[in-house]
Amino acid sequence: MKRPVGGGRPGDMGHPLESLPVDLATALRNARSARCPSPGTPAGPAVPAWPGPPLPIPEAGPAELDLRALLHLSLAASDGSARLRPAPSAGALHPVDAELVVGAGCSLPPGRYGYDPVRHCVHRLGRQPVGTPPGVTAELSVTARRTVSHYGHRAWPLLLLDTGHAAGALFLATRALGSGEPELRLDGAAESPLAAVRIRPPDPARHPEAPRTAQPSASAPTPGELLARRSTPPPLPGTPHANALRAVLRSASHAGGGDLRWCAAVGPPRPGLMELALDNTALHRCAAGETRPTLAVWAAGQAWIADAGAVLLARGCPADADAPHVRRTHLRAGFAVHLAHVTARHHGLTARPVGSWQQADLGAAIGAAPGQDWIVHGLALGTLHADEENTA
């Protein structure tokens, strides 16, 4: 089924953006401007109107990929509100939709399915394509209306970042279940699906004595860590220890691909921007001076950011970037911040993704050429805990 360029599906054309081609360069320029969004509009349904009856996801048999556990740890809503999920989303609007292309070796019969994260069930859409490999490929697209309803012209960067976060959630769930490293498509080449994550079934021939779901490695998150990950509501005071900050920067840099640069804004006693040294073992100062108040203005005027313990920043995506570059950098930024968020939580930090940035030309602000080094995504960090909720 070919989807509309603007996201969504046939029958979901209730918002103008759903049926119009999207010029991403123009959309990004508008999102980066100081113009405020118009009043909100209805967000529409939280789940696509998948055809056919809802089907439960069966328990996995021996040597089968456990799709029920995988989706529970990555995309499923925790309650009927549709807001609480393992992956954060701007405004808790969750625009990302997943279609599952299932091959052999899975707990669902081979075929193509639409996933309902609120009811944690699937709808069969048809046969799998010829040549579908074993395992499952989760194809991620967006229903733009959900995010446009609140963020208006600022929506498209957020839609891409949310898709990257969803890919990150699937990636970490795969690792938590001991299923190896999934294959990612975050290259930005396609308009729809925007991203894909392919996960292989267990290989009993390689480990004939191993249980169906192997134990996670020491570097992998536990299922409990993934389900407990929530975006901390502000404020997020408390400067992270250098070791924790270094681990968060290392996680983001490793996952972010080659188009992004990563730094962290810190406050007193030596305020400035910190980067990883070339050997990835130490931090060095790439710019001096207090930047958090400026970041608060750039991040849609969220004043609490000025007092955050630190702010991880992904920067890049120049003003003249073409559509694949825009998609690639934002997908990768969302993916990397998702992994960095879990790393931060593992080190006892509080954390909250920050996705909406206006006039945030960080390169120009620190003396580099203008228009080349824009803030793409952020993760506010702190050390003092508060009651938590998933309203990122």
Side-chain angles (χ1 to χ4, degrees):
M1 180 191 310
K2 183 173 176 57
R3 304 178 188 86
V5 174
R9 303 177 197 287
D12 286 341
M13 299 302 176
H15 194 283
L17 193 69
E18 300 294 345
S19 58
L20 295 176
V22 175
D23 178 349
L24 270 184
T26 300
L28 183 60
R29 186 164 57 251
N30 289 337
R32 287 172 169 173
S33 74
R35 181 162 61 93
C36 293
S38 302
T41 58
V47 178
W50 301 116
L55 304 172
I57 305 172
E59 291 187 8
E64 286 184 338
L65 179 61
D66 191 345
L67 295 181
R68 186 160 68 178
L70 175 76
L71 294 165
H72 176 62
L73 293 176
S74 58
L75 302 181
S78 299
D79 61 18
S81 74
R83 294 173 65 87
L84 288 171
R85 308 195 196 187
S89 170
L93 292 163
H94 297 289
V96 181
D97 302 318
E99 288 190 18
L100 309 175
V101 182
V102 178
C106 295
S107 54
L108 278 169
R112 178 179 284 274
Y113 299 84
Y115 177 59
D116 181 337
V118 177
R119 298 170 184 84
H120 194 36
C121 64
V122 295
H123 294 250
R124 185 173 174 89
L125 305 179
R127 298 172 60 90
Q128 79 275 27
V130 175
T132 296
V136 63
T137 298
E139 297 181 346
L140 304 177
S141 59
V142 294
T143 297
R145 173 183 177 178
R146 295 180 205 145
T147 301
V148 172
S149 69
H150 181 71
Y151 291 97
H153 67 278
R154 294 177 179 172
W156 263 101
L158 300 173
L159 291 161
L160 295 168
L161 294 174
D162 277 7
T163 305
H165 276 279
L170 286 161
F171 178 88
L172 290 178
T174 304
R175 295 188 64 199
L177 293 173
S179 299
E181 296 289 301
E183 296 178 12
L184 298 169
R185 184 183 64 71
L186 301 173
D187 56 14
E191 294 178 337
S192 187
L194 287 167
V197 182
R198 184 196 163 211
I199 302 155
R200 298 179 180 85
D203 185 357
R206 183 176 299 174
H207 303 289
E209 303 301 324
R212 173 178 52 81
T213 299
Q215 293 298 312
S217 68
S219 61
T222 66
E225 284 180 308
L226 297 185
L227 292 176
R229 193 223 58 75
R230 294 288 181 262
S231 297
T232 308
L236 278 71
T239 302
H241 189 276
N243 289 339
L245 191 59
R246 184 167 57 246
V248 171
L249 274 164
R250 188 183 298 120
S251 174
S253 299
H254 180 73
D259 293 315
L260 296 167
R261 294 179 59 193
W262 296 85
C263 64
V266 299
R270 296 183 62 203
L273 297 179
M274 307 297 294
E275 286 183 334
L276 280 177
L278 291 178
D279 62 1
N280 282 344
T281 63
L283 298 175
H284 78 91
R285 191 172 305 275
C286 60
E290 178 63 89
T291 59
R292 293 172 302 162
T294 299
L295 296 177
V297 174
W298 285 348
Q302 299 181 75
W304 62 269
I305 292 174
D307 297 314
V311 186
L312 174 73
L313 299 169
R315 65 192 204 267
C317 197
D320 60 355
D322 60 15
H325 191 151
V326 173
R327 286 192 290 264
R328 181 173 67 249
T329 51
H330 285 77
L331 291 169
R332 271 289 172 183
F335 175 78
V337 165
H338 190 85
L339 271 60
H341 192 166
V342 174
T343 299
R345 291 299 302 263
H346 184 74
H347 284 265
L349 303 180
T350 56
R352 184 177 185 84
V354 182
S356 187
W357 297 91
Q358 291 80 49
Q359 299 180 299
D361 189 346
L362 182 61
I366 60 176
Q372 299 300 306
D373 217 13
W374 294 80
I375 296 177
V376 177
H377 202 7
L379 181 70
L381 302 167
T383 60
L384 303 181
H385 291 261
D387 293 335
E388 296 176 355
E389 59 184 11
N390 189 8
T391 57

